[in-house]
Amino acid sequence: MRDKAVNDLIKRVVPEFSQKFSVRTTQEKTGAEEYAVYGEDNKIVIEGANPVVQAAAFYQYLKNYCHVNLSWCGNRIVQVKDCPVPVKPIKGKIYQKYRSYMNYCTFCYSAAVWDWERWEKEIDFMAMQGINMPLSIIGTDAVWYQTLLDLGMQEDEALKYLSGPAHWAWQLMTNIDSFLPPPDVFYLKERLELGRRILTRQQELGMMPVMQGFSGHIPKQLKNKYPKMKTLETSSWCGFPTTCQLDPLDPMFTKIGSRFLENQKNMLGYSRFLACDPFHENTPPSSLPEYLQQVGKVINDLYEDFSAESVWVMQSWSIYKDIAKSVPKDRLLVFDINGERYAETEGFWGHQFVVGDLHNFGGKNSLHGDIEKLADFSYTELQKSYEGLCGMGLFMEGINQNPIYYDMSFGKLIQEGREELSSWLKNYGIRRYKRERREDFQALKKLKEACYAAGTSDCERGSVICARPDFHIQCAAPNDILEQRYDNRILLEVLDLLLSDESEISDGLLFDICDITRQLLSNYAQVLYGEVEKAATEYDKKLFTEKKEAFLALILDMDALLCTRKELCLSRWVSRAESLGNSEKMKQYYRESVLTLLTVWGPMDEPVIFDYAWREWGGLCREYYYKRWKLFLDEVETQFEAFPREHQADTKMAYNRCAFRAEPVYEKMADLELDFIKTYRAKEEKAGETIPVAKSLLKKYRKEILAKSHENTGNQKANLDFWEK
């Protein structure tokens, strides 16, 4: 049965060659998980102790013998002309016991409107990358609904407590509740069925999913039915209404938690790994060690009573030492999601932990990531210093971005030591672009010196295009920066190298040409807007009008480019959202849910973290960001002498930006933004071809980009000596 799961995966990935593979299960060994791929009787034999290891071995074969690069960004399916029998065996050992995947936020920023077909591809992708511990939370809203009914709430009360598909993750993390609740129970039935299929397939492939636990977040109305419960009102999170936290030391905590876990087991499925973050991004009612130790004991007892083999999974984001230390070391697993807290906590005080990489906030699609630091990481060396280290994980908030960074990141999950970067870049170029050219290698080296240089992993480079219009913009959103960390001319050089031969064009190459051109124009947009701002502050109206029109034209040019790639189009996301609805009412519900997340985020009356999930996407640039900028710049032009260039001392701010309705111009902008959410409909984009559009834009903007990049790139040429070896 276990071999069947991997055989079925192979049939889905390379159906025309699936008969050439023979999957064999080897004996489970202690320590590292071993795998092998070799030729026997004209068959490609794949050996491994479990399905995930076998799937990972299969992908290692595809990479080594078929030069495959499977990615979210171009190269989305495996296309091979043949699957040759290996001449030389591939052997490997995986020392990471747990290979974890997905942040809570990923389910909303990237997967909010995935159907089973899309999830099936992602699960296959996970398995081939060696992922054996995915977070699995789809369907938990239906479990919560049933649990609340069991506790005596009415159907409409229980339904209104839930948040929608694009915000459900933050309810599970206890930050919010009752935001854009589903209009009917059909939604919950669909989510539950999808969650069951996801969990079943993950476990068929030998994965150990992390399911949802209970940390005490409950509806405020429940207090009316159980008035003796000891609860506390949490502080407001990002402008949302306060939520209700049941004190873990109250007897009702165990009662409600047990009911939730049993319902989840019966309705959705079972896994022994249960996630729970008490007082996540909030403050416990007492900071006394004795109280926190009791909290840890109560939650551990809840899980242990539910299943003696259960393991509590906790994020390091807001971990409490006294809670963690009260839990036996074999019963707690910590996800160090940004890979930074293990050092300051003595390896989480001896508990098991997974070292992670966060990398992305909000699903923004800016090119960034310290790829050299990633290559230099050695799992086995770090393990010598921390006996509790038992795995690695990818915990980005959103996917569908930075394909080069993630190709290496996934590889590191099953690699014990350092990666020789030059060799890796050469191999990556061959796999990504389906051709062997030293110009591609040179382009990737230059890309590494620019977007993927040292110190670029912490925050995305912000987009002025996606920033809410203002003078003196400091950031586009929380957790991005407007600092230009490299010379934009390098990206021109990268594109010239990639476009120097158009005889062989892979899908990955087309995506990269589009994406790198997008980043080039995005960087230049900041320079151009600086000229708009300068003309305004110097009260040069003629120059302001000229630069304003150029800036707005650039946004539309970028939109035309992005529309050449479906995965970079808003309409693709919204179409998926609409397809999930079984009625016009439900189609509208899904659509408005995801559009809210991408734009104002929430709450609807006074959003605070608006644009946190900005995207430079086709359709979104034209229909949303362009219209915001045009409204603002037209207002400036109309009131040119009187329009304030500086904010008043009492102007209300939110994360270094004017609040949602802080000034008259933002009143109009807020109406425009909320109207977009209500009125936008997915449409078939009239798109040109990527290369002609990209080349025309390079021709149009080359002179200005060269003239307005101020750093010297003379000493940043790639070294081609390696290629000649």
Side-chain angles (χ1 to χ4, degrees), residues 175-190:
N175 298 123
I176 66 174
D177 58 44
S178 312
F179 185 63
L180 301 180
D184 59 48
V185 294
F186 170 80
Y187 166 84
L188 298 177
K189 293 176 181 177
E190 293 287 297

Side-chain angles (χ1 to χ4, degrees), residues 314-317 319 321 324-325 329 332-356 386 388-389:
M314 188 188 299
Q315 296 181 95
S316 64
W317 202 251
I319 195 169
K321 178 180 179 179
K325 290 190 72 173
K329 290 183 179 178
L332 178 65
L333 173 65
V334 180
F335 281 172
D336 191 8
I337 60 175
N338 62 351
E340 293 180 354
R341 299 216 55 196
Y342 64 83
E344 63 189 69
T345 57
E346 302 169 335
F348 298 103
W349 313 286
H351 286 91
Q352 295 183 93
F353 73 94
V354 169
V355 63
Y386 298 97
L389 177 60

Side-chain angles (χ1 to χ4, degrees), residues 242 289 423 449:
T242 58
S423 178
E449 294 162 2

Side-chain angles (χ1 to χ4, degrees), residues 85-104:
V85 175
V87 176
K88 183 179 178 181
I90 301 170
K91 294 185 177 182
K93 294 182 179 181
I94 305 176
Y95 290 85
Q96 296 89 328
K97 180 180 179 181
Y98 302 130
R99 285 89 65 188
S100 307
Y101 184 55
M102 283 205 181
N103 185 315
Y104 275 94

Side-chain angles (χ1 to χ4, degrees), residues 422 425 438-450 487 489-491 493-494 497 711-722:
S422 289
L425 286 171
R438 69 176 191 171
E439 289 84 0
D440 293 343
F441 175 62
Q442 185 180 9
L444 293 172
K445 291 275 280 185
K446 286 180 177 291
L447 203 59
K448 175 256 174 190
E449 294 162 2
D487 190 332
R489 288 178 293 186
I490 300 176
L491 298 189
E493 296 169 6
V494 169
L497 287 163
E711 297 176 23
N712 181 9
T713 58
N715 296 321
Q716 296 184 352
K717 293 181 179 178
N719 180 2
L720 295 182
D721 292 344
F722 173 81

Side-chain angles (χ1 to χ4, degrees), residues 302-318:
L302 167 67
Y303 289 174
E304 192 167 19
D305 289 345
F306 168 68
S307 170
E309 62 174 8
S310 65
V311 175
W312 178 356
V313 180
M314 188 188 299
Q315 296 181 95
S316 64
W317 202 251
S318 52

Side-chain angles (χ1 to χ4, degrees), residues 562-618:
L562 293 166
C563 285
T564 68
R565 295 293 309 185
K566 288 185 178 181
E567 64 267 70
L568 294 175
C569 282
L570 175 64
S571 58
R572 181 188 182 96
W573 223 50
V574 175
S575 292
R576 279 183 169 165
E578 292 172 343
S579 70
L580 295 177
N582 67 332
S583 66
E584 187 53 44
K585 178 182 177 181
M586 285 305 298
K587 290 179 188 295
Q588 181 179 346
Y589 172 70
Y590 278 109
R591 180 171 59 239
E592 291 186 12
S593 181
V594 298
L595 288 173
T596 298
L597 183 73
L598 290 179
T599 56
V600 302
W601 213 106
M604 304 306 285
D605 55 342
E606 187 63 31
V608 174
I609 54 172
F610 47 82
D611 295 322
Y612 184 91
W614 62 256
R615 307 282 196 277
E616 288 181 331
W617 274 0

